[in-house]
Amino acid sequence: MSRQDESNINLEGSVVSVRGSVVDVFFPERLPPINTVMWAGKGASVVIEAAAHLNEQTLRGIALTSTSGLCRGDKVLSCEEPLKAPVGKELLGRMFNVFGESIDDLGPVENITFRSIHNRPVELAGRVTSEEIFLTGIKAIDLLVPLEQGGKGGLFGGAGVGKTVVITELIHNMVGKYKGVSIFCGIGERCREGEELHREMENTGVLDNTVMVFGQMNEPPGARFRVGHSALTMAEYFRDDLKQNVLLLIDNIFRFIQAGSELSGLLGRLPSRMGYQSTMGTELAELEERISSTKDGAITSIQAIYVPADDLTDPSAVHTFSHLSSSIVLSRKRASEGFYPAIDPLQSSSIMLQSRIVGSRHYEVAREVRKTLATYEELKDIIAMLGLEELSREDRRIVFRARRLERFLTQPFFTTKQFTGHEGRIVELKDTIEGCERIINDEFSDRPESDLYMIGSIKEIE
């Protein structure tokens, strides 16, 4: 299907002004509704979405494509319909842009239907919550920040601390054994990352069960802002029509907020705190609240969230925290010390870490690990000033224990083998719990700390 459906055109207007991505359009008859798609320019190549009504006959729109070549007086066509995304089993194994056009050089997809990207969230009465853990095979996540089946998990971190690496490892570990459909949504990410991810999924044989949707970094803010809604529309089809579980991976939610901020500035709206758009909370909720589970199927979402200047009090991070059931915080300090994945066990949290959900043994071990690492963190200043010898015997034991736990919670990834030379590991939850339990009980106090670094289960050092 082309972006323009000639048969349904019922409104015709003309361009009044073009300012970057903002296009003002004059309609002599009546104005199309907000969120309606219009086409302009040579060959109707410029796609515009209605954003505001300025008066009875003038509309302000945001271009979802480049406005290069668009002039005042150019004809604008509208069929008074919103932007639509393709849905259907035929999408599996393919890569699309925000308009549902294939971008993988394999030609157009046949026999697919299109649906509006502006769907309402499931009513509260129709939602289902499960208390089932979504296992990832990554020790630090499964033990300390368990993900919820049908919930939302967030990966918070600044630039270069490993968000995309953890996301790709999660794809590798889960897509192979995951029985549902996987949808990867790249919002404002580099095209290099998309190409690498596509190639990797093709090599591992999991692409046939995956749909990829990209709004790349070089695209206008309108396209980056809407690509998440397109991916969600596809996910809702698999959940509601085909009654399948869906794994929705989003990289990166901050780029969605950033695109909204750009659009807000272009439309001349007053900014809010720290320059963000005043509608940020509403826009984020419109996206996040559609990610839910029903009796027919679950949408489990894992999202990467860039944290500007590593500041977790930034409004973008604060607004996102409130929507998540699990928050995995990646620490630059731990990354600099060589602990990968660089998950901060003290700042990360999950509502699933309760003894009635994970069991008393898992809960107690996780609590003891956190307590040991927290005590070590408090003792670091004393060690730096006075040295390890000045600590009491019990405190020294805690330090040795914590250092071993830190190293045991590192893990070689399959997706980084070409950089580290270490073969990747998937570790069962019971092996992680057993290993941490034995370290807490000082079973490996006679072994060097380095023996526990970058291994899978504890059985590897015996």
Side-chain angles (χ1 to χ4, degrees):
M1 170 179 164
S2 67
R3 295 179 191 176
Q4 176 191 2
D5 192 346
E6 296 278 3
S7 59
N8 291 336
I9 298 299
N10 52 14
L11 270 182
E12 195 171 306
S14 59
V15 173
V16 177
S17 70
V18 183
R19 290 175 292 116
S21 291
V22 178
V23 183
D24 290 353
V25 186
F26 175 79
F27 283 97
E29 295 174 43
R30 66 178 186 279
L31 291 177
I34 300 293
N35 292 335
T36 296
V37 172
M38 300 165 287
W39 296 273
K42 190 177 180 183
S45 59
V46 180
V47 185
I48 304 165
E49 187 178 53
H53 292 167
L54 301 182
N55 56 43
E56 292 89 341
Q57 293 179 307
T58 313
L59 173 149
R60 179 159 289 169
I62 291 288
L64 305 186
T65 55
S66 170
T67 54
S68 176
L70 194 62
C71 307
R72 285 180 66 178
D74 278 359
K75 190 163 68 173
V76 179
L77 305 172
S78 171
C79 56
E80 297 187 272
E81 290 185 352
L83 188 64
K84 293 183 176 181
V87 294
K89 287 193 289 189
E90 294 77 14
L91 305 182
L92 293 170
R94 302 298 300 271
M95 188 192 285
F96 301 92
N97 63 10
V98 67
F99 305 107
E101 300 167 338
S102 60
I103 53 172
D104 51 9
D105 290 336
L106 296 176
V109 183
E110 304 295 332
N111 305 320
I112 53 173
T113 54
F114 283 76
R115 286 187 184 173
S116 166
I117 66 167
H118 302 284
N119 293 335
R120 292 180 63 82
V122 176
E123 297 293 331
L124 283 175
R127 296 190 182 207
V128 173
T129 54
S130 76
E131 293 189 339
E132 191 181 336
I133 297 296
F134 195 78
L135 294 174
T136 65
I138 298 174
K139 290 183 284 192
I141 294 176
D142 289 346
L143 179 73
L144 301 170
V145 205
L147 301 175
E148 177 189 5
Q149 172 82 37
K152 296 186 274 275
L155 279 162
F156 291 83
V161 294
K163 296 183 298 300
T164 302
V165 170
V166 175
I167 282 265
T168 50
E169 185 69 7
L170 287 169
I171 292 169
H172 180 279
N173 290 7
M174 293 189 291
V175 173
K177 62 179 182 181
Y178 189 67
K179 297 295 180 283
V181 171
S182 298
I183 296 178
F184 181 88
C185 175
I187 304 178
E189 286 302 291
R190 302 163 189 83
C191 53
R192 167 184 60 78
E193 292 173 345
E195 191 276 328
E196 284 173 4
L197 185 63
H198 184 268
R199 185 156 27 91
E200 193 173 298
M201 293 177 89
E202 199 170 29
N203 293 341
T204 51
V206 296
L207 189 62
D208 292 343
N209 219 27
T210 307
V211 184
M212 303 179 83
V213 194
F214 282 95
Q216 294 167 36
M217 200 177 258
N218 61 327
E219 293 184 31
R224 285 181 270 129
F225 187 69
R226 288 299 180 208
V227 71
H229 298 90
S230 294
L232 261 171
T233 304
M234 297 174 188
E236 286 165 344
Y237 170 82
F238 285 108
R239 179 193 67 191
D240 301 334
D241 293 44
L242 300 186
K243 303 194 181 344
Q244 287 181 285
N245 288 340
V246 182
L247 176 60
L248 177 64
L249 299 131
I250 304 177
D251 190 6
N252 184 308
I253 287 290
F254 175 78
R255 306 286 176 212
F256 166 78
I257 293 171
Q258 195 177 42
S261 181
E262 286 179 49
L263 293 181
S264 184
L266 288 167
L267 291 168
R269 293 172 183 158
L270 282 173
S272 181
R273 185 170 154 233
M274 291 177 70
Y276 286 105
Q277 65 273 37
S278 52
T279 52
M280 174 169 63
T282 312
E283 290 166 358
L284 187 62
E286 281 174 359
L287 186 79
E288 294 282 6
E289 287 304 303
R290 285 172 62 183
I291 303 170
S292 60
S293 303
T294 67
K295 64 181 190 308
D296 296 326
I299 298 179
T300 303
S301 174
I302 298 167
Q303 310 165 6
I305 301 115
Y306 167 71
V307 181
D310 294 343
D311 179 14
L312 289 170
T313 62
D314 187 89
S316 62
V318 171
H319 275 275
T320 313
F321 267 123
S322 60
H323 293 282
L324 306 173
S325 54
S326 304
S327 301
I328 302 164
V329 178
L330 300 176
S331 153
R332 189 172 302 283
K333 184 168 173 285
R334 294 183 71 78
S336 66
E337 290 169 354
F339 297 134
Y340 292 103
I343 294 167
D344 188 326
L346 306 180
Q347 286 192 296
S348 304
S349 63
S350 169
I351 62 168
M352 300 303 284
L353 194 59
Q354 303 175 40
S355 60
R356 66 181 180 81
I357 297 174
V358 298
S360 57
R361 185 184 176 216
H362 179 170
Y363 177 72
E364 289 302 331
V365 169
R367 206 172 71 151
E368 194 58 41
V369 167
R370 272 227 177 96
K371 183 180 164 188
T372 305
L373 294 172
T375 307
Y376 176 42
E377 200 61 38
E378 289 168 10
L379 293 170
K380 277 182 178 175
D381 288 342
I382 299 170
I383 295 167
M385 288 188 291
L386 304 175
L388 192 62
E389 296 74 26
E390 296 301 314
L391 297 180
S392 67
R393 185 180 295 175
E394 182 54 36
D395 282 349
R396 263 181 294 187
R397 203 172 284 155
I398 288 170
V399 169
F400 293 143
R401 222 175 277 158
R403 289 176 65 86
R404 281 167 174 76
L405 283 170
E406 279 183 333
R407 281 150 184 78
F408 179 62
L409 290 174
T410 60
Q411 189 169 339
F413 281 180
F414 290 94
T415 50
T416 57
K417 187 190 171 187
Q418 67 268 39
F419 307 116
T420 63
H422 294 289
E423 189 66 50
R425 311 275 200 286
I426 293 177
V427 185
E428 297 293 328
L429 177 59
K430 59 179 175 39
D431 294 334
T432 303
I433 294 170
E434 183 197 341
C436 290
E437 209 171 34
R438 293 176 68 183
I439 291 168
I440 288 164
N441 293 333
D442 292 331
E443 283 191 36
F444 300 99
S445 54
D446 57 332
R447 299 293 293 263
E449 294 167 0
S450 56
D451 284 4
L452 293 157
Y453 181 69
M454 282 293 171
I455 62 167
S457 74
I458 202 76
K459 297 184 179 76
E460 289 186 31
I461 68 164
E462 292 180 319

